[in-house]
Amino acid sequence: MYRGKNISELKKQLENNEVTKEELFASANKLAHYFQDDYNSFVTILDEYKVKDRDSLLSGIPYALKDNFSTANILTTASSNILKDYVPVYDATVYKKLKKAGALLVGKTVLDELAMGGTGTTANTGVVRNPWDKNRMIGGSSAGSASCVALGIVPFSIGSDTGDSVRKPAAFGGVVGFKPTYGRISRYGLFSFASSLDHVGIFTRNVKDASIVTDVLKGYDPKDMVTLKDDNKKYTDTLDNDIKGKKLFYIKEICNSELYKDSNDHELLEVLDKFHKMLDKCRNLGYVIEEVSIDKNLLAAIYPAYMCISCAEATSNNANLTGIQFGPRGEGNNISEIMFDARTKGFSEFIKRRFILGSYVLQKENQDKLFLNACRARRMIVDKINELFNEYDGMILPASGGIAPTFDSSSEKLTDRYLLLENHLAIANFGGFPSITIPYDFVDSMPIALNITSPIMQDDLLLNMAYKIESVTDCCDIYAKVGDIDV
Amino acid sequence: MYKVTIGLEVHCELETKSKNFSSAPNKFSTSPNEFVATTDLGLPGILPVPNKEACKKALFTAMALHCENPDEVIFDRKNYFYPDLPKGYQITQVTKPMGKNGYLDILVDGKIKRVLIHQLHLEEDTAALEHFPKYSLIDYNRSGIPLIEIVTEPCIESADEAVTFLEDLRDVFLFLGVSEAKSNYGQMRCDVNISLRKSESDELGTKVEMKNINAFNNVRAAIEYEIKRQSELLDKGEKIIQETRRIAEDGKTYSMREKVDAVDYKYFIEPNIPSTKITTEYLEELRSKLPELKLDRYFKYIEKYGISEYDSSVLSKEKTISDYFESVIESGCSVELAVNFVTTSILSTLNKLEITIDELFITPNMLAGVINYVNDGKMSLDAAKKLLYKAIDEKVDPVELIKKENMQQINDYDTLLELITKIMDENSEVVRQYVEEGNNSAINFFIGQTMKKSNRQANPNKSMEIIKEELERRKNNG
């Protein structure tokens, strides 16, 4: 049996010659095709692979890659019409490393168009559905990468995380979502959304697998100036370290139950109740967990600051999509009209809205008040968290205030009540902090997750802490056992 | 009469191995799209990696132009849509340019004019577009080549000043070795901003911009044409329109577009390039490598060595020649002779052989050796120059040649007398003509003979004296 097996289990089967990598690939391929109609995880499903056996923990292991990583000779669309026929000529560093490790690419996964969005509903090839409940979203933007791991099609997949695009869909899909410190993994070949916030992230079904994949992907890359020097650590080596006395904090203004006591949102109340019970379990493990208070105004600035910065950078980063060098050529009487037409037809309304917002905040007359103030707010938030990190080893919070939303619910919970609960994950993007989401329980038969974020460079400690917490949940290696298929 | 105010924006491509933010070669090619990396095409997912050498050369140039240098290197994005800009933005410097508030002194009509530099920044060149009636083609060879832009203050007041500044600026690039600055390859280009105002007015007139002029004589033509055009309009009481004009082949300028509002380029700091601190030590090290520039050398030659203005200007014009000349006189040889040799024999040889001075076989040391022979009176200037040409031809050290061929000048009185006596004895008829008929042409005959028989080694002045003495002696002795 292949489906639902984690990396270590598959590796063992390979080593014991119980299975061949051809068989693993065929199983993954079969599952990918089987679930495609119902869940729409993939833009492209590959029916063959071209990698050799390597001396690596990932050799022979099937995986999926978000469709915003450049893969030479393989269609890469970013789920946008403006790139619907784009076949890159070069490989992203991440893809190169995975090829070199002998991992088997099963497919390129659907994302919210150009990685902008958190619903998994805005791809040009249709919505991605949540494996635990087809009527619910998986979240985004790394929607397909989350769903294919949650369906058990592959043991790991690669996504990108600019605000929470790995960690949120991981939470809704009941899988582990990890983004290491900014610069730990090269972004070269990842289609830029907001360069100062963009991270490569990893989906797996347990913390150890996330460490295995990170060990392969991390490292300095001369092609990405922001990559860090190699830390020469193997994160899998320190997973079992003693965590007694490690200090975590949660933010009162985000998840103190008192704040929501008059709410009639039973999902929210149950999520918070289970979160605090989970904290007690962690305390029993030896963690010291304390509540801290942060100026609410500062926290309320996270979402608007994120929108200002990410849209501003996105406007510029996507200015190459004009249909001139590549992509569908627009029509018109002059070059401006041609580019205008290509962009008008090539982007959905959501994208145009973000570009207009980004352009607006960068305009000379607005820039100081909007864009630069957003950058200042970002700095203040990061400074505050770093100040707390002087005393604590990490921040622990519910990844979301609820379970995966249904398709008919409002796509973004923008009311005051949810503003902080639904948007705090961007803190880790602001500061480049390593951050991991792990499932720990269920509400209404849907998985819920907690998020831990640590100081920069402490990826190893974060994985170590998450690994220990995972051990007291019943959610290690879970996947949605849907479908009538035996693979 | 109107006062003319000109500001220049000069672009110059830097000479580096690779492009400013990619590993594609920085080379000129007539074959389109030969030197192109993914980064230069703006493909999705590409990231810029700045060229250290380009940063260094930009800083170095800013330093030579007496600019203030920043404490860190950072870049900004300039956002606009145009097909020659594949990323949709240009990486440039706004927040912290490589240089600010500098100047370059130039010599116009014998007077020093200080041209103030507003700023110098490093950016990347765009692709080149070629337009045809029904389509346009894009050549990405140029896309991403490191480019410095130098913006002057509006302090230039004539076409002469503008052109002299451009020429001298190009010499700065050449002296520093940062660029070949070939305007025919588009490596150096210039935008001219020009406005006219009434002489008594303090307020600047309406600015007209002329973009992308390659050749310096076109800069002159454009400025002269604009002064004439705008003067005529102002004379008639008409207003100057703020616009961008281009210079055509007929030397006239034509309106391209009216400038309604300045374009908002929505600059912001390039997030993919972390800032790099520039240490004081680094700047000092760089500063210590700054060569003396043209004008400084020119004045040094005049004031320190008493060289004529003309020769000083010839010797300071090119760094390699100036360096050569300075190496020659460093050995302590005669400056006057060094000037003579370099400005005549050496330069004409370079011309004749079409080589650079670095390719010349004769090293400054060798030349100094020859000069010393002349200076010590061991050799005539004439003979020395002939010898030098021979040494160049045969690619041998001229001093060795002198020794080998025993070509030293004969100054010894007895040796010369012996030779001359022998010649006179062999030509008694010529002696007779002098003695009996007073024929003075005999003197020239014997000089000629002496030089010939001595392989041109006889000291001509001394020989002349001895010949006259000897002829007089024979006349008196009857």
Side-chain angles (χ1 to χ4, degrees), chain B residues 39-67:
Chain B
T39 304
D40 313 318
L41 289 172
L43 296 180
I46 53 98
L47 294 170
V49 179
N51 184 326
K52 201 172 168 185
E53 188 63 17
C55 292
K56 189 174 147 191
K57 285 186 165 166
L59 268 178
F60 199 44
T61 312
M63 220 174 237
L65 296 173
H66 313 94
C67 289

mmCIF file of all heavy atoms in Angstrom, chain B residues 39-67:
data_model
loop_
_atom_site.group_PDB
_atom_site.id
_atom_site.type_symbol
_atom_site.label_atom_id
_atom_site.label_comp_id
_atom_site.label_asym_id
_atom_site.label_seq_id
_atom_site.Cartn_x
_atom_site.Cartn_y
_atom_site.Cartn_z
ATOM 1 N N THR B 39 17.749 36.375 -16.560
ATOM 2 C CA THR B 39 17.501 37.615 -15.814
ATOM 3 C C THR B 39 17.287 38.794 -16.753
ATOM 4 O O THR B 39 16.460 39.657 -16.493
ATOM 5 C CB THR B 39 18.699 37.901 -14.884
ATOM 6 O OG1 THR B 39 18.888 36.766 -14.055
ATOM 7 C CG2 THR B 39 18.456 39.119 -14.027
ATOM 8 N N ASP B 40 18.047 38.826 -17.850
ATOM 9 C CA ASP B 40 17.961 39.952 -18.779
ATOM 10 C C ASP B 40 16.653 39.934 -19.557
ATOM 11 O O ASP B 40 16.286 40.918 -20.189
ATOM 12 C CB ASP B 40 19.133 39.920 -19.761
ATOM 13 C CG ASP B 40 20.453 39.696 -19.054
ATOM 14 O OD1 ASP B 40 20.648 40.305 -17.995
ATOM 15 O OD2 ASP B 40 21.274 38.907 -19.546
ATOM 16 N N LEU B 41 15.968 38.777 -19.538
ATOM 17 C CA LEU B 41 14.689 38.674 -20.243
ATOM 18 C C LEU B 41 13.512 38.932 -19.315
ATOM 19 O O LEU B 41 12.374 38.977 -19.755
ATOM 20 C CB LEU B 41 14.543 37.267 -20.848
ATOM 21 C CG LEU B 41 15.450 36.944 -22.029
ATOM 22 C CD1 LEU B 41 15.328 35.476 -22.386
ATOM 23 C CD2 LEU B 41 15.094 37.799 -23.226
ATOM 24 N N GLY B 42 13.788 39.075 -18.017
ATOM 25 C CA GLY B 42 12.705 39.311 -17.065
ATOM 26 C C GLY B 42 11.770 38.132 -16.936
ATOM 27 O O GLY B 42 10.586 38.290 -16.681
ATOM 28 N N LEU B 43 12.290 36.921 -17.107
ATOM 29 C CA LEU B 43 11.429 35.743 -16.981
ATOM 30 C C LEU B 43 10.931 35.608 -15.536
ATOM 31 O O LEU B 43 11.617 36.009 -14.609
ATOM 32 C CB LEU B 43 12.193 34.476 -17.393
ATOM 33 C CG LEU B 43 12.624 34.405 -18.848
ATOM 34 C CD1 LEU B 43 13.366 33.104 -19.123
ATOM 35 C CD2 LEU B 43 11.418 34.522 -19.781
ATOM 36 N N PRO B 44 9.745 35.019 -15.340
ATOM 37 C CA PRO B 44 9.218 34.879 -13.981
ATOM 38 C C PRO B 44 10.188 34.092 -13.089
ATOM 39 O O PRO B 44 10.731 33.076 -13.509
ATOM 40 C CB PRO B 44 7.919 34.099 -14.191
ATOM 41 C CG PRO B 44 7.507 34.398 -15.589
ATOM 42 C CD PRO B 44 8.777 34.543 -16.365
ATOM 43 N N GLY B 45 10.390 34.592 -11.884
ATOM 44 C CA GLY B 45 11.213 33.892 -10.900
ATOM 45 C C GLY B 45 12.675 34.293 -10.877
ATOM 46 O O GLY B 45 13.418 33.840 -10.011
ATOM 47 N N ILE B 46 13.102 35.128 -11.813
ATOM 48 C CA ILE B 46 14.512 35.512 -11.826
ATOM 49 C C ILE B 46 14.805 36.493 -10.681
ATOM 50 O O ILE B 46 13.913 37.176 -10.205
ATOM 51 C CB ILE B 46 14.938 36.132 -13.174
ATOM 52 C CG1 ILE B 46 14.006 37.282 -13.572
ATOM 53 C CG2 ILE B 46 14.965 35.094 -14.261
ATOM 54 C CD1 ILE B 46 14.465 38.640 -13.269
ATOM 55 N N LEU B 47 16.060 36.495 -10.244
ATOM 56 C CA LEU B 47 16.458 37.403 -9.179
ATOM 57 C C LEU B 47 17.753 38.107 -9.592
ATOM 58 O O LEU B 47 18.589 37.508 -10.257
ATOM 59 C CB LEU B 47 16.697 36.629 -7.877
ATOM 60 C CG LEU B 47 15.469 35.970 -7.235
ATOM 61 C CD1 LEU B 47 15.905 35.045 -6.097
ATOM 62 C CD2 LEU B 47 14.508 37.023 -6.710
ATOM 63 N N PRO B 48 17.915 39.353 -9.209
ATOM 64 C CA PRO B 48 19.125 40.083 -9.580
ATOM 65 C C PRO B 48 20.276 39.796 -8.616
ATOM 66 O O PRO B 48 20.058 39.674 -7.414
ATOM 67 C CB PRO B 48 18.694 41.546 -9.446
ATOM 68 C CG PRO B 48 17.671 41.530 -8.356
ATOM 69 C CD PRO B 48 16.987 40.186 -8.432
ATOM 70 N N VAL B 49 21.473 39.642 -9.143
ATOM 71 C CA VAL B 49 22.666 39.553 -8.295
ATOM 72 C C VAL B 49 23.629 40.639 -8.778
ATOM 73 O O VAL B 49 24.129 40.570 -9.890
ATOM 74 C CB VAL B 49 23.335 38.162 -8.394
ATOM 75 C CG1 VAL B 49 24.579 38.116 -7.522
ATOM 76 C CG2 VAL B 49 22.367 37.072 -7.983
ATOM 77 N N PRO B 50 23.852 41.662 -7.969
ATOM 78 C CA PRO B 50 24.639 42.804 -8.434
ATOM 79 C C PRO B 50 26.091 42.441 -8.738
ATOM 80 O O PRO B 50 26.671 41.557 -8.117
ATOM 81 C CB PRO B 50 24.589 43.798 -7.276
ATOM 82 C CG PRO B 50 23.596 43.281 -6.324
ATOM 83 C CD PRO B 50 23.389 41.832 -6.598
ATOM 84 N N ASN B 51 26.636 43.156 -9.704
ATOM 85 C CA ASN B 51 28.009 42.972 -10.146
ATOM 86 C C ASN B 51 28.927 43.841 -9.271
ATOM 87 O O ASN B 51 28.834 45.066 -9.288
ATOM 88 C CB ASN B 51 28.080 43.403 -11.614
ATOM 89 C CG ASN B 51 29.429 43.167 -12.231
ATOM 90 O OD1 ASN B 51 30.459 43.286 -11.562
ATOM 91 N ND2 ASN B 51 29.436 42.848 -13.509
ATOM 92 N N LYS B 52 29.798 43.187 -8.526
ATOM 93 C CA LYS B 52 30.673 43.896 -7.591
ATOM 94 C C LYS B 52 31.585 44.885 -8.311
ATOM 95 O O LYS B 52 31.809 46.008 -7.856
ATOM 96 C CB LYS B 52 31.519 42.851 -6.852
ATOM 97 C CG LYS B 52 32.097 43.321 -5.554
ATOM 98 C CD LYS B 52 32.750 42.144 -4.839
ATOM 99 C CE LYS B 52 33.608 42.615 -3.674
ATOM 100 N NZ LYS B 52 34.334 41.504 -3.054
ATOM 101 N N GLU B 53 32.111 44.429 -9.456
ATOM 102 C CA GLU B 53 33.025 45.265 -10.231
ATOM 103 C C GLU B 53 32.317 46.534 -10.708
ATOM 104 O O GLU B 53 32.908 47.627 -10.700
ATOM 105 C CB GLU B 53 33.542 44.445 -11.421
ATOM 106 C CG GLU B 53 34.650 45.092 -12.234
ATOM 107 C CD GLU B 53 35.926 45.329 -11.438
ATOM 108 O OE1 GLU B 53 36.102 44.724 -10.369
ATOM 109 O OE2 GLU B 53 36.751 46.153 -11.896
ATOM 110 N N ALA B 54 31.060 46.392 -11.116
ATOM 111 C CA ALA B 54 30.304 47.565 -11.575
ATOM 112 C C ALA B 54 30.099 48.534 -10.421
ATOM 113 O O ALA B 54 30.262 49.756 -10.590
ATOM 114 C CB ALA B 54 28.962 47.128 -12.159
ATOM 115 N N CYS B 55 29.782 48.002 -9.249
ATOM 116 C CA CYS B 55 29.600 48.867 -8.069
ATOM 117 C C CYS B 55 30.895 49.602 -7.763
ATOM 118 O O CYS B 55 30.898 50.805 -7.496
ATOM 119 C CB CYS B 55 29.200 48.040 -6.849
ATOM 120 S SG CYS B 55 27.557 47.314 -6.993
ATOM 121 N N LYS B 56 31.995 48.873 -7.855
ATOM 122 C CA LYS B 56 33.294 49.463 -7.556
ATOM 123 C C LYS B 56 33.628 50.568 -8.554
ATOM 124 O O LYS B 56 34.072 51.653 -8.178
ATOM 125 C CB LYS B 56 34.350 48.355 -7.600
ATOM 126 C CG LYS B 56 35.712 48.751 -7.122
ATOM 127 C CD LYS B 56 36.616 47.523 -7.084
ATOM 128 C CE LYS B 56 38.037 47.902 -7.397
ATOM 129 N NZ LYS B 56 38.882 46.735 -7.627
ATOM 130 N N LYS B 57 33.384 50.293 -9.822
ATOM 131 C CA LYS B 57 33.718 51.280 -10.846
ATOM 132 C C LYS B 57 32.832 52.519 -10.733
ATOM 133 O O LYS B 57 33.287 53.633 -10.988
ATOM 134 C CB LYS B 57 33.611 50.654 -12.238
ATOM 135 C CG LYS B 57 34.802 49.738 -12.521
ATOM 136 C CD LYS B 57 34.833 49.199 -13.930
ATOM 137 C CE LYS B 57 36.233 48.619 -14.218
ATOM 138 N NZ LYS B 57 36.282 47.796 -15.405
ATOM 139 N N ALA B 58 31.576 52.314 -10.368
ATOM 140 C CA ALA B 58 30.684 53.465 -10.202
ATOM 141 C C ALA B 58 31.144 54.316 -9.019
ATOM 142 O O ALA B 58 31.223 55.541 -9.107
ATOM 143 C CB ALA B 58 29.250 52.986 -10.000
ATOM 144 N N LEU B 59 31.499 53.641 -7.931
ATOM 145 C CA LEU B 59 32.005 54.369 -6.756
ATOM 146 C C LEU B 59 33.290 55.129 -7.091
ATOM 147 O O LEU B 59 33.487 56.276 -6.698
ATOM 148 C CB LEU B 59 32.324 53.375 -5.633
ATOM 149 C CG LEU B 59 31.248 53.052 -4.610
ATOM 150 C CD1 LEU B 59 31.779 52.012 -3.639
ATOM 151 C CD2 LEU B 59 30.788 54.288 -3.851
ATOM 152 N N PHE B 60 34.142 54.455 -7.833
ATOM 153 C CA PHE B 60 35.449 55.013 -8.211
ATOM 154 C C PHE B 60 35.255 56.276 -9.057
ATOM 155 O O PHE B 60 35.914 57.296 -8.831
ATOM 156 C CB PHE B 60 36.183 53.934 -9.010
ATOM 157 C CG PHE B 60 37.669 54.120 -9.117
ATOM 158 C CD1 PHE B 60 38.428 54.476 -8.011
ATOM 159 C CD2 PHE B 60 38.314 53.921 -10.335
ATOM 160 C CE1 PHE B 60 39.804 54.626 -8.111
ATOM 161 C CE2 PHE B 60 39.688 54.066 -10.448
ATOM 162 C CZ PHE B 60 40.432 54.420 -9.338
ATOM 163 N N THR B 61 34.322 56.179 -10.017
ATOM 164 C CA THR B 61 34.057 57.330 -10.870
ATOM 165 C C THR B 61 33.485 58.487 -10.051
ATOM 166 O O THR B 61 33.894 59.646 -10.225
ATOM 167 C CB THR B 61 33.061 56.950 -11.998
ATOM 168 O OG1 THR B 61 33.489 55.729 -12.593
ATOM 169 C CG2 THR B 61 32.984 58.032 -13.042
ATOM 170 N N ALA B 62 32.566 58.148 -9.146
ATOM 171 C CA ALA B 62 31.982 59.189 -8.292
ATOM 172 C C ALA B 62 33.078 59.880 -7.487
ATOM 173 O O ALA B 62 33.093 61.095 -7.323
ATOM 174 C CB ALA B 62 30.942 58.568 -7.364
ATOM 175 N N MET B 63 34.012 59.079 -7.036
ATOM 176 C CA MET B 63 35.120 59.611 -6.250
ATOM 177 C C MET B 63 35.986 60.560 -7.081
ATOM 178 O O MET B 63 36.371 61.637 -6.632
ATOM 179 C CB MET B 63 35.971 58.405 -5.830
ATOM 180 C CG MET B 63 36.485 58.450 -4.457
ATOM 181 S SD MET B 63 37.272 56.855 -4.171
ATOM 182 C CE MET B 63 36.342 56.353 -2.763
ATOM 183 N N ALA B 64 36.268 60.132 -8.319
ATOM 184 C CA ALA B 64 37.092 60.961 -9.204
ATOM 185 C C ALA B 64 36.388 62.281 -9.520
ATOM 186 O O ALA B 64 37.042 63.279 -9.805
ATOM 187 C CB ALA B 64 37.388 60.205 -10.494
ATOM 188 N N LEU B 65 35.061 62.262 -9.467
ATOM 189 C CA LEU B 65 34.302 63.481 -9.734
ATOM 190 C C LEU B 65 34.014 64.239 -8.434
ATOM 191 O O LEU B 65 33.100 65.049 -8.373
ATOM 192 C CB LEU B 65 32.997 63.146 -10.469
ATOM 193 C CG LEU B 65 33.184 62.543 -11.874
ATOM 194 C CD1 LEU B 65 31.853 62.090 -12.459
ATOM 195 C CD2 LEU B 65 33.852 63.543 -12.806
ATOM 196 N N HIS B 66 34.794 63.944 -7.411
ATOM 197 C CA HIS B 66 34.733 64.660 -6.133
ATOM 198 C C HIS B 66 33.362 64.584 -5.481
ATOM 199 O O HIS B 66 32.898 65.544 -4.878
ATOM 200 C CB HIS B 66 35.128 66.128 -6.311
ATOM 201 C CG HIS B 66 36.384 66.320 -7.117
ATOM 202 N ND1 HIS B 66 36.363 66.536 -8.467
ATOM 203 C CD2 HIS B 66 37.682 66.283 -6.757
ATOM 204 C CE1 HIS B 66 37.604 66.644 -8.919
ATOM 205 N NE2 HIS B 66 38.425 66.485 -7.900
ATOM 206 N N CYS B 67 32.680 63.442 -5.656
ATOM 207 C CA CYS B 67 31.350 63.293 -5.063
ATOM 208 C C CYS B 67 31.456 62.762 -3.640
ATOM 209 O O CYS B 67 32.443 62.142 -3.261
ATOM 210 C CB CYS B 67 30.511 62.298 -5.867
ATOM 211 S SG CYS B 67 29.989 62.894 -7.475
#
